[in-house]
Amino acid sequence: MEEGIKFLAELDSFAGVQRKYLVKREAETDPRYGKHPKSRSAEELISSGAINLDKPPGPTSHEVVAWVKELLRVEKAGHGGTLEPL
């Protein structure tokens, strides 16, 4: 099984779902354009990653973004959509 499909299967297993994948074409990824997520350093993951955050009631979305920037020691961070609890 291709490494990318193995990675997706691991994510599915972690999430408790089972899916089938259709591979239309197998090809090597040019290292100049990316690499397998497990091969990325912590710095690479932080610099271009996303965080799925379940914001608790109380702090504003702006406050949570400020905390994330401070914790991860990054200059830029933001949120897409709302961080308000259900």
Side-chain angles (χ1 to χ4, degrees):
M1 188 184 298
E2 182 184 336
E3 189 174 352
I5 298 298
K6 285 183 188 177
F7 180 73
L8 292 173
E10 288 177 24
L11 290 177
D12 286 350
S13 176
F14 180 77
V17 297
Q18 188 173 16
R19 303 173 214 222
K20 291 183 180 182
Y21 293 94
L22 172 65
V23 178
K24 293 173 76 175
R25 175 177 65 171
E26 291 189 26
E28 290 293 321
T29 300
D30 186 327
R32 295 176 297 172
Y33 301 112
K35 58 177 123 174
H36 191 275
K38 288 185 176 181
S39 302
R40 296 177 184 146
S41 68
E43 291 80 13
E44 289 172 311
L45 292 170
I46 290 171
S47 71
S48 61
I51 298 171
N52 186 4
L53 179 77
D54 186 10
K55 184 184 89 59
T60 66
S61 301
H62 181 77
E63 288 176 305
V64 174
V65 169
W67 296 341
V68 167
K69 287 169 61 174
E70 184 179 335
L71 286 169
L72 298 179
R73 296 184 186 107
V74 295
E75 290 184 27
K76 294 182 180 182
H79 67 87
T82 181
L83 294 179
E84 299 309 315
L86 296 174

